[in-house]
């Protein structure tokens, strides 16, 4: 039993060592130097299932700009209704605006009554999206879901 445990540990360490030698993902992340900002408005509700929709504008430091649709879906132990006005997001580790579209993983604990604020960091591969915003509503619970940026 002990030999098998040490053998598995050695195999895991060998695989981890081999993965750190491969430069492809590190090189791609280092080359991804475009930074984009997201300005958005969002409103939604949750009662076990979480759903929110909104719109926004993405502006990148390389001059690219686009209007976007935002959708948030998920589930968990949540209840509430809320809206976020003038939310801000910072998207990093992209080569162009085309890489900002898609699904970002989201998990969080919400607790807010009347006026509330949020700050989250979401990921999509090596791309990260840091969100901040304030809004109004009631929201309470724990949820897991996805934050999607798409073309309108």
């Amino acid at each position: 039993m002990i030999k098998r445990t040490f053998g598995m540990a050695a195999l895991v360490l060998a695989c981890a060592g081999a993965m750190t030698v491969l430069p492809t993902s590190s090189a791609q992340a280092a080359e991804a130097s475009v930074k984009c900002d997201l300005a958005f408005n969002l409103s939604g509700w949750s009662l076990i299932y979480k759903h929110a929709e909104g719109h926004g504008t993405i502006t990148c430091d390389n001059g690219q700009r686009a209007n976007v649709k935002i959708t948030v879906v998920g589930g968990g132990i949540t209840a509430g209704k809320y809206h976020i006005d003038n939310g801000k997001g910072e998207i990093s580790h992209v080569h162009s605006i085309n890489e900002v579209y898609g699904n970002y993983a989201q998990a969080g604990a919400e607790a807010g009554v009347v006026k509330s604020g949020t700050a989250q960091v979401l990921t999509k591969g090596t791309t990260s999206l840091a969100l901040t915003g304030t809004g109004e509503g009631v929201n309470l619970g724990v949820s897991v879901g996805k934050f999607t940026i798409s073309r309108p």
Side-chain angles (χ1 to χ4, degrees):
M1 177 78 164
I2 293 174
K3 287 182 183 181
R4 191 176 331 164
T5 303
F6 283 123
M8 289 299 289
L11 180 61
V12 169
L13 289 174
C15 290
M19 294 172 90
T20 58
V21 174
L22 299 174
T24 54
S25 62
S26 299
Q28 288 176 352
E31 294 170 14
S33 60
V34 175
K35 182 177 139 312
C36 299
D37 293 313
L38 168 66
F40 68 96
N41 295 316
L42 185 70
S43 62
W45 54 268
S46 63
L47 183 59
I48 299 176
Y49 178 77
K50 180 178 181 177
H51 180 83
E53 290 185 353
H55 61 277
T57 303
I58 294 179
T59 308
C60 298
D61 61 7
N62 65 356
Q64 294 176 311
R65 181 181 172 94
N67 292 326
V68 295
K69 178 181 175 184
I70 298 169
T71 308
V72 178
V73 294
I77 305 169
T78 63
K81 184 175 181 180
Y82 55 90
H83 69 89
I84 297 173
D85 297 320
N86 302 314
K88 305 281 183 224
E90 185 176 304
I91 304 166
S92 56
H93 301 293
V94 295
H95 295 93
S96 75
I97 198 166
N98 294 325
E99 293 181 11
V100 303
Y101 299 107
N103 300 322
Y104 294 79
Q106 180 183 42
E110 297 96 19
V113 177
V114 185
K115 296 248 183 217
S116 60
T118 185
Q120 292 185 341
V121 176
L122 314 175
T123 60
K124 179 182 75 132
T126 59
T127 302
S128 63
L129 168 60
L131 295 174
T132 60
T134 58
E136 294 182 0
V138 175
N139 203 28
L140 180 64
V142 177
S143 66
V144 176
K146 66 179 177 178
F147 185 99
T148 304
I149 299 175
S150 60
R151 291 176 174 83

